[in-house]
Amino acid sequence: MVEAVETMDGWYSLHDFRTIDWTYWKTATPEEKKEAIASFEALITKWDAVEEAKNGSHAMYKIVGQKADLMFMFLRPTMEELNELETELNKSKFAEFLTPAHSYVSVVELSKYRPAKDGIDPETLPETQARLKPILPKWEHVCFYPMDRRRVGDENWYTLEKDVRGKLLYEHSKTGRKYAGKVKQIITGSIGLDDWEWGVTLFAHEPLQFKKIVYEMRFDEVSSRYGEFGEFFVGNLLKKEEIAKFLEV
Ligand code: 76R
């Protein structure tokens, strides 16, 4: 029988996409605008404190194109916290000017394809814990997309033996490592949590690196034969100090 791989699961993740209702925003009075911006900044201050205490992390991006205007990525130890955070945002004055565009729920995931070294469970290692509970890089650009492993005819990831899958992922990781320092990836698992099997979140200083890594990986067997992809979202970092300027109309 084909063996599943054990996963190591870290913080829960919510990718929350919003569209700004610019027409409505323009009709708001200066006082309302001020209140909305202040409510948003107050939330960010709260999120920053959570991140400072290493109880979670967040990142904010301005989406390019019409799929959304803003993307928030939130990481928290529990689903309850994600839900509370989302509800608090929804109740804010700022949210009166936002409409939901898309969301994705998952959990930071690493897998145990590699045999344990010296009998040490990798999950106990500090470097693994740091990857499972990552502080999100505030790099200039983000790219998010969901993906599946194919289950069609002879191209069925779930009928491949574990050692074969491990080898294919090892090959994949060699491509990935070429982008060290240029692309940082966070893989979140969403089987049983959302519509696709994994969420891929990439951070880069240079947006062209997204095209390069995703293109190069298309030729790795694990993607060429076993990868199915959903919608792509790409964006630029939104800094707290630029919010007022960004919202100026
Ligand atoms: O965790 C590790 O670093 C070990 C090696 C590794 C695994 C097991 C690894 C490395 N990945 C793994 C698993 Mn990955 N990854 C993607 C995408 O667009 C595409 O074709 C694929 C989207 C990118 C860009 C990427 C980048 N990876 C996975 C899985 C889970 C599969 C499973 O369990 O069945 C998915 C869905 C996935 C997808 N991967 C790396 C990268 C990069 C840059 C690395 C090197 C990381 C490093 O060593 O620093």
Side-chain angles (χ1 to χ4, degrees), residues 25-39:
W25 179 246
K26 282 182 193 164
T27 67
T29 64
E31 290 71 34
E32 283 173 318
K33 288 195 183 92
K34 232 173 147 179
E35 196 193 328
I37 292 170
S39 74

PDB file of all heavy atoms in Angstrom, residues 25-39:
ATOM      1  N   TRP A  25     -15.460  55.437  -0.926  1.00  0.00           N
ATOM      2  CA  TRP A  25     -14.375  56.121  -0.184  1.00  0.00           C
ATOM      3  C   TRP A  25     -14.354  57.610  -0.522  1.00  0.00           C
ATOM      4  O   TRP A  25     -14.192  58.457   0.347  1.00  0.00           O
ATOM      5  CB  TRP A  25     -13.037  55.443  -0.515  1.00  0.00           C
ATOM      6  CG  TRP A  25     -11.832  56.045   0.148  1.00  0.00           C
ATOM      7  CD1 TRP A  25     -10.803  56.690  -0.465  1.00  0.00           C
ATOM      8  CD2 TRP A  25     -11.516  56.035   1.554  1.00  0.00           C
ATOM      9  NE1 TRP A  25      -9.863  57.085   0.452  1.00  0.00           N
ATOM     10  CE2 TRP A  25     -10.276  56.713   1.706  1.00  0.00           C
ATOM     11  CE3 TRP A  25     -12.157  55.556   2.693  1.00  0.00           C
ATOM     12  CZ2 TRP A  25      -9.663  56.896   2.944  1.00  0.00           C
ATOM     13  CZ3 TRP A  25     -11.544  55.743   3.929  1.00  0.00           C
ATOM     14  CH2 TRP A  25     -10.320  56.400   4.051  1.00  0.00           C
ATOM     15  N   LYS A  26     -14.568  57.925  -1.798  1.00  0.00           N
ATOM     16  CA  LYS A  26     -14.537  59.333  -2.228  1.00  0.00           C
ATOM     17  C   LYS A  26     -15.678  60.137  -1.626  1.00  0.00           C
ATOM     18  O   LYS A  26     -15.574  61.352  -1.479  1.00  0.00           O
ATOM     19  CB  LYS A  26     -14.608  59.415  -3.757  1.00  0.00           C
ATOM     20  CG  LYS A  26     -13.286  59.117  -4.423  1.00  0.00           C
ATOM     21  CD  LYS A  26     -13.408  59.257  -5.922  1.00  0.00           C
ATOM     22  CE  LYS A  26     -12.214  58.663  -6.610  1.00  0.00           C
ATOM     23  NZ  LYS A  26     -12.465  58.440  -8.036  1.00  0.00           N
ATOM     24  N   THR A  27     -16.783  59.468  -1.311  1.00  0.00           N
ATOM     25  CA  THR A  27     -17.929  60.186  -0.739  1.00  0.00           C
ATOM     26  C   THR A  27     -17.792  60.379   0.778  1.00  0.00           C
ATOM     27  O   THR A  27     -18.583  61.102   1.380  1.00  0.00           O
ATOM     28  CB  THR A  27     -19.260  59.436  -0.999  1.00  0.00           C
ATOM     29  OG1 THR A  27     -19.227  58.203  -0.263  1.00  0.00           O
ATOM     30  CG2 THR A  27     -19.486  59.153  -2.481  1.00  0.00           C
ATOM     31  N   ALA A  28     -16.816  59.710   1.389  1.00  0.00           N
ATOM     32  CA  ALA A  28     -16.647  59.831   2.848  1.00  0.00           C
ATOM     33  C   ALA A  28     -16.152  61.235   3.203  1.00  0.00           C
ATOM     34  O   ALA A  28     -15.399  61.848   2.432  1.00  0.00           O
ATOM     35  CB  ALA A  28     -15.658  58.783   3.333  1.00  0.00           C
ATOM     36  N   THR A  29     -16.570  61.728   4.352  1.00  0.00           N
ATOM     37  CA  THR A  29     -16.108  63.042   4.816  1.00  0.00           C
ATOM     38  C   THR A  29     -14.654  62.907   5.290  1.00  0.00           C
ATOM     39  O   THR A  29     -14.218  61.791   5.607  1.00  0.00           O
ATOM     40  CB  THR A  29     -16.955  63.552   6.003  1.00  0.00           C
ATOM     41  OG1 THR A  29     -16.745  62.640   7.100  1.00  0.00           O
ATOM     42  CG2 THR A  29     -18.431  63.623   5.648  1.00  0.00           C
ATOM     43  N   PRO A  30     -13.930  64.042   5.377  1.00  0.00           N
ATOM     44  CA  PRO A  30     -12.542  63.969   5.873  1.00  0.00           C
ATOM     45  C   PRO A  30     -12.470  63.301   7.249  1.00  0.00           C
ATOM     46  O   PRO A  30     -11.542  62.544   7.524  1.00  0.00           O
ATOM     47  CB  PRO A  30     -12.113  65.432   5.931  1.00  0.00           C
ATOM     48  CG  PRO A  30     -12.985  66.132   4.962  1.00  0.00           C
ATOM     49  CD  PRO A  30     -14.286  65.404   4.942  1.00  0.00           C
ATOM     50  N   GLU A  31     -13.487  63.543   8.100  1.00  0.00           N
ATOM     51  CA  GLU A  31     -13.492  62.935   9.453  1.00  0.00           C
ATOM     52  C   GLU A  31     -13.626  61.419   9.346  1.00  0.00           C
ATOM     53  O   GLU A  31     -12.939  60.678  10.045  1.00  0.00           O
ATOM     54  CB  GLU A  31     -14.652  63.489  10.317  1.00  0.00           C
ATOM     55  CG  GLU A  31     -14.502  64.935  10.734  1.00  0.00           C
ATOM     56  CD  GLU A  31     -14.679  65.923   9.574  1.00  0.00           C
ATOM     57  OE1 GLU A  31     -15.502  65.648   8.657  1.00  0.00           O
ATOM     58  OE2 GLU A  31     -13.969  66.956   9.551  1.00  0.00           O
ATOM     59  N   GLU A  32     -14.531  60.989   8.473  1.00  0.00           N
ATOM     60  CA  GLU A  32     -14.727  59.537   8.301  1.00  0.00           C
ATOM     61  C   GLU A  32     -13.459  58.871   7.770  1.00  0.00           C
ATOM     62  O   GLU A  32     -13.081  57.790   8.201  1.00  0.00           O
ATOM     63  CB  GLU A  32     -15.881  59.264   7.331  1.00  0.00           C
ATOM     64  CG  GLU A  32     -17.251  59.457   7.943  1.00  0.00           C
ATOM     65  CD  GLU A  32     -18.363  59.344   6.904  1.00  0.00           C
ATOM     66  OE1 GLU A  32     -18.196  59.886   5.779  1.00  0.00           O
ATOM     67  OE2 GLU A  32     -19.384  58.725   7.217  1.00  0.00           O
ATOM     68  N   LYS A  33     -12.827  59.549   6.825  1.00  0.00           N
ATOM     69  CA  LYS A  33     -11.595  59.004   6.241  1.00  0.00           C
ATOM     70  C   LYS A  33     -10.534  58.880   7.326  1.00  0.00           C
ATOM     71  O   LYS A  33      -9.850  57.865   7.427  1.00  0.00           O
ATOM     72  CB  LYS A  33     -11.079  59.901   5.110  1.00  0.00           C
ATOM     73  CG  LYS A  33     -11.917  59.837   3.844  1.00  0.00           C
ATOM     74  CD  LYS A  33     -11.151  60.451   2.687  1.00  0.00           C
ATOM     75  CE  LYS A  33     -11.960  60.474   1.414  1.00  0.00           C
ATOM     76  NZ  LYS A  33     -12.723  61.706   1.200  1.00  0.00           N
ATOM     77  N   LYS A  34     -10.438  59.929   8.124  1.00  0.00           N
ATOM     78  CA  LYS A  34      -9.457  59.936   9.213  1.00  0.00           C
ATOM     79  C   LYS A  34      -9.711  58.784  10.180  1.00  0.00           C
ATOM     80  O   LYS A  34      -8.787  58.076  10.588  1.00  0.00           O
ATOM     81  CB  LYS A  34      -9.567  61.267   9.982  1.00  0.00           C
ATOM     82  CG  LYS A  34      -8.251  61.985  10.127  1.00  0.00           C
ATOM     83  CD  LYS A  34      -8.497  63.333  10.732  1.00  0.00           C
ATOM     84  CE  LYS A  34      -7.306  63.702  11.605  1.00  0.00           C
ATOM     85  NZ  LYS A  34      -7.478  65.011  12.200  1.00  0.00           N
ATOM     86  N   GLU A  35     -10.984  58.607  10.511  1.00  0.00           N
ATOM     87  CA  GLU A  35     -11.374  57.548  11.445  1.00  0.00           C
ATOM     88  C   GLU A  35     -11.060  56.162  10.846  1.00  0.00           C
ATOM     89  O   GLU A  35     -10.558  55.270  11.538  1.00  0.00           O
ATOM     90  CB  GLU A  35     -12.879  57.668  11.740  1.00  0.00           C
ATOM     91  CG  GLU A  35     -13.313  56.877  12.958  1.00  0.00           C
ATOM     92  CD  GLU A  35     -14.836  56.739  13.069  1.00  0.00           C
ATOM     93  OE1 GLU A  35     -15.558  57.660  12.644  1.00  0.00           O
ATOM     94  OE2 GLU A  35     -15.280  55.690  13.574  1.00  0.00           O
ATOM     95  N   ALA A  36     -11.345  56.026   9.565  1.00  0.00           N
ATOM     96  CA  ALA A  36     -11.105  54.735   8.893  1.00  0.00           C
ATOM     97  C   ALA A  36      -9.609  54.419   8.877  1.00  0.00           C
ATOM     98  O   ALA A  36      -9.198  53.298   9.210  1.00  0.00           O
ATOM     99  CB  ALA A  36     -11.660  54.768   7.474  1.00  0.00           C
ATOM    100  N   ILE A  37      -8.804  55.403   8.523  1.00  0.00           N
ATOM    101  CA  ILE A  37      -7.353  55.191   8.466  1.00  0.00           C
ATOM    102  C   ILE A  37      -6.815  54.875   9.869  1.00  0.00           C
ATOM    103  O   ILE A  37      -6.024  53.957  10.051  1.00  0.00           O
ATOM    104  CB  ILE A  37      -6.633  56.417   7.834  1.00  0.00           C
ATOM    105  CG1 ILE A  37      -7.004  56.508   6.342  1.00  0.00           C
ATOM    106  CG2 ILE A  37      -5.112  56.320   8.003  1.00  0.00           C
ATOM    107  CD1 ILE A  37      -6.571  57.782   5.650  1.00  0.00           C
ATOM    108  N   ALA A  38      -7.311  55.638  10.854  1.00  0.00           N
ATOM    109  CA  ALA A  38      -6.857  55.412  12.238  1.00  0.00           C
ATOM    110  C   ALA A  38      -7.232  54.003  12.700  1.00  0.00           C
ATOM    111  O   ALA A  38      -6.448  53.325  13.372  1.00  0.00           O
ATOM    112  CB  ALA A  38      -7.450  56.461  13.163  1.00  0.00           C
ATOM    113  N   SER A  39      -8.424  53.530  12.318  1.00  0.00           N
ATOM    114  CA  SER A  39      -8.859  52.183  12.746  1.00  0.00           C
ATOM    115  C   SER A  39      -7.962  51.125  12.114  1.00  0.00           C
ATOM    116  O   SER A  39      -7.613  50.131  12.749  1.00  0.00           O
ATOM    117  CB  SER A  39     -10.328  51.943  12.393  1.00  0.00           C
ATOM    118  OG  SER A  39     -10.495  51.722  10.999  1.00  0.00           O
TER     119      SER A  39
END
